[in-house]
Amino acid sequence: MPAWTDQLRFAFQPVVNLATGSVAALEPLARHEDGDVDVLTCARRAPDLDAEVAALAVRAAAEQETLLPLHVNVCAGTVAQRPELMPLGKAVRDVGRRPWEITLDLVGPFTEVPERELRAAVAGLRDEGYRICVDGVGDGDLPLRLLGELAPDLVKLDRSLCVRLERDPGRQAAVAAMRQLCERVGGLLAIEGVETERQYAAVREAGVQLAQGHLFAPPSRRAAAEVYLPVPQPAPVGGRPAPYRPPSGPPVAQFLQPAALLPMSASADAVRNHLTGSPEVSGVLLVDADGVPVRAIHRDRFLLSLSGRYGHALYADRPALRLADRPRTVGVDATAWQVLDVIADGERARTGDDVAVVDERGRCIGVVHLADILRALAESRVEEAARLNPLTRLPGSDAVNGEVDRRIAEGREFALSWLDVDGFKQVNDGAGFAAGDELIRAVGRTLAEVAAAEPASRVGHIGGDDFLVLAEPDGLEPFAAALLDVAWAAGAMPVTLSLATVVCPPGSVTGHGAAAAALAPLKKAAKELPGASWVVGRPGTERTEVRRGADARVPAPAEAADRAGAGSGAETGSGARP
């Protein structure tokens, strides 16, 4: 009777990069010829069998002659008993793969796995170069605390979260929370089970970066080189999740493509054979024994050198290093803007070269293409422009609210302020709409100028004469000085501004809605004061401090020094601002 594992067959399902539309990796899925046998259940019961199945997955992928990275399933209990993984490591070496081309998808159960051993094993596998994915999140027994401690390179959400995602606010909130967790630990977010175009649109809106599902390509005995990628469809009105927008440009990991790697000793003829046999490859990286890029070879320049007169005879049997350039590299935590900086600082002739992405040890984990970066940045600029107020060109409240939620999640103290023009309707009635619009533009320009000098601050224009200011508690005085301590006018009509601030220590509010609710009575208190006014308070207390206005208290010199000038009385400048 043949061995149990001799009756295994593997199907390959692509892992799709939603930013580039390309296949980022392949996941070999074990199937038993006896359809009633559940391979995963059997593997969970026997770590040695689990490791053998993982090794067979690597060997089966080698028969596909694919350069794509692999996602290999392995039980968390097997990983915790790390010596059991020796067959997997041997298979990786035997087929000529490198550990950093393998992502280990850890599957449950987790509750009965000794956490200390699991964390130690994961750390050791990372040292060898393997990437770590936690699989089935959202429908298993993985504690969130352990998920944070493992800090995986990839979090893969269970397919159950994809069901009705386009119209289920609860599932949308769960995916958004995982997206924020991934951002904090430096990982990527993936999801399984994308079956419809509506689900595809919903996972993109939620900020998911990698996905699997029958919509793209079903599991197949032959590795898929291309996948179906629909034109994104909007989610239904009322069920649309808030799109995720990185604060400092899209992360470079979002555009990661598989890298073609060869040893630095490779001959020019070996590189040529690799390029001609893989027309989709735009270049090759020559790496040392640790996987660190040493030289980069651009496809067109390299083949042009060999095609010239005597080119093949001169270079074919010699090291390809002679025709290579120094690699361009960025860290895995870089943003798309930093990739552009690297390209801009290099030789003009190499503008179109791929940029290698390396981990914290300098090992190459993939490449990014300039075209993907430029397209994403152009799209982000279009989206950003659409969100700006047409009058002031400042972002709306969503941008500030998102940053408030981020600071709450990080446990940071912050100050949220509401600024508006006193009696703005009377301003419009008395000075005219054109003068009112010019006043709002001038206030917006002033806010933007002060925010540019205060890196930790964010400003937004809610609409009409209402503005938001988010800053550090000790970074408010520059805003107050520029907005309240000068004279404003709409046409010939004098105008004053009111500022209300709520200072939120860590744990005092649960979200931007709670912060806005705490701010509302402070705004009312500021509006009740004559002239330019500024009122400061804290959540959960009725005590307020008047820093500008008729009742403003002038602090003693020592107190003023302690507060770094944050509590002076209002002063009126001599020049009216339009």
Side-chain angles (χ1 to χ4, degrees), residues 344-358:
D345 289 341
E347 303 170 31
R348 192 169 183 178
R350 298 186 60 196
T351 300
D353 288 16
D354 295 341
V355 175
V357 181
V358 298

Side-chain angles (χ1 to χ4, degrees), residues 316-363:
D317 296 327
R318 297 187 179 184
L321 285 168
R322 294 170 178 255
L323 297 175
D325 302 294
R326 289 188 177 277
R328 292 175 167 180
T329 61
V330 295
V332 69
D333 57 348
T335 67
W337 290 111
Q338 290 170 310
V339 175
L340 284 190
D341 290 340
V342 169
I343 293 173
D345 289 341
E347 303 170 31
R348 192 169 183 178
R350 298 186 60 196
T351 300
D353 288 16
D354 295 341
V355 175
V357 181
V358 298
D359 63 14
E360 67 280 359
R361 297 193 176 189
R363 300 173 297 207

Side-chain angles (χ1 to χ4, degrees), residues 56-363:
L56 289 173
V58 172
R59 297 184 189 278
E63 296 174 2
Q64 298 288 319
E65 297 182 348
T66 177
L67 298 173
L68 290 167
L70 302 177
H71 281 233
V72 178
N73 290 297
V74 61
C75 294
T78 305
V79 172
Q81 303 177 46
R82 191 177 167 199
E84 298 286 355
L85 287 176
M86 291 180 62
L88 173 62
K90 183 177 186 304
V92 171
R93 292 188 297 272
D94 288 349
V95 302
R97 285 281 192 171
R98 300 170 179 84
W100 42 93
E101 298 177 84
I102 310 294
T103 297
L104 299 180
D105 285 14
L106 274 59
V107 297
F110 288 88
T111 51
E112 298 181 2
V113 177
E115 292 186 8
R116 179 181 298 178
E117 287 79 357
L118 179 60
R119 290 195 300 266
V122 166
L125 290 167
R126 277 208 174 99
D127 286 341
E128 293 182 33
Y130 291 98
R131 304 185 75 219
I132 302 298
C133 166
V134 176
D135 202 349
V137 173
D139 195 42
D141 61 346
L142 175 65
L144 283 177
R145 170 189 50 75
L146 179 58
L147 177 61
E149 291 172 353
L150 291 175
D153 303 285
L154 184 69
V155 171
K156 190 179 289 187
L157 300 179
D158 185 78
R159 63 178 59 249
S160 61
L161 283 173
C162 206
V163 178
R164 300 190 306 278
L165 178 62
E166 69 274 17
R167 61 181 185 275
D168 188 326
R171 284 178 167 82
Q172 294 166 11
V175 175
M178 285 299 103
R179 182 63 187 85
Q180 188 174 44
L181 182 144
C182 287
E183 181 187 339
R184 293 292 303 277
V185 302
L188 298 178
L189 183 63
I191 196 167
E192 298 177 312
V194 180
E195 311 293 339
T196 69
E197 296 192 7
R198 289 281 183 165
Q199 290 174 343
Y200 169 72
V203 298
R204 282 175 56 92
E205 287 285 337
V208 176
Q209 295 146 313
L210 301 170
Q212 294 173 265
H214 281 68
L215 177 67
F216 310 114
S220 172
R221 290 291 179 88
R222 293 193 60 82
E226 297 181 358
V227 294
Y228 170 70
L229 205 70
V231 176
Q233 297 285 331
V237 175
R240 186 187 185 98
Y244 170 77
R245 297 183 178 97
S248 56
V252 70
Q254 185 172 317
F255 310 98
L256 206 61
Q257 301 270 29
L261 306 178
L262 288 176
M264 57 188 297
S265 59
S267 67
D269 204 38
V271 173
R272 175 181 174 275
N273 291 337
H274 191 85
L275 291 173
T276 54
S278 305
E280 75 282 1
V281 173
S282 57
V284 170
L285 289 170
L286 303 179
V287 296
D288 63 16
D290 295 323
V292 176
V294 177
R295 288 289 186 273
I297 293 176
H298 184 267
R299 179 189 190 91
D300 293 342
R301 291 198 300 272
F302 179 82
L303 293 179
L304 184 62
S305 297
L306 287 189
S307 64
R309 191 176 186 183
Y310 308 123
H312 190 270
L314 284 172
Y315 298 113
D317 296 327
R318 297 187 179 184
L321 285 168
R322 294 170 178 255
L323 297 175
D325 302 294
R326 289 188 177 277
R328 292 175 167 180
T329 61
V330 295
V332 69
D333 57 348
T335 67
W337 290 111
Q338 290 170 310
V339 175
L340 284 190
D341 290 340
V342 169
I343 293 173
D345 289 341
E347 303 170 31
R348 192 169 183 178
R350 298 186 60 196
T351 300
D353 288 16
D354 295 341
V355 175
V357 181
V358 298
D359 63 14
E360 67 280 359
R361 297 193 176 189
R363 300 173 297 207

Side-chain angles (χ1 to χ4, degrees), residues 445-455 457 459 475-480 482-483:
R445 285 194 298 270
T446 301
L447 280 170
E449 289 168 1
V450 178
E454 297 288 331
S457 67
V459 296
L476 291 166
E477 186 60 31
F479 288 98
L483 295 162

Side-chain angles (χ1 to χ4, degrees), residues 468-492:
L468 284 178
V469 179
L470 175 64
E472 302 288 344
D474 59 356
L476 291 166
E477 186 60 31
F479 288 98
L483 295 162
L484 306 179
D485 296 350
V486 299
W488 291 87

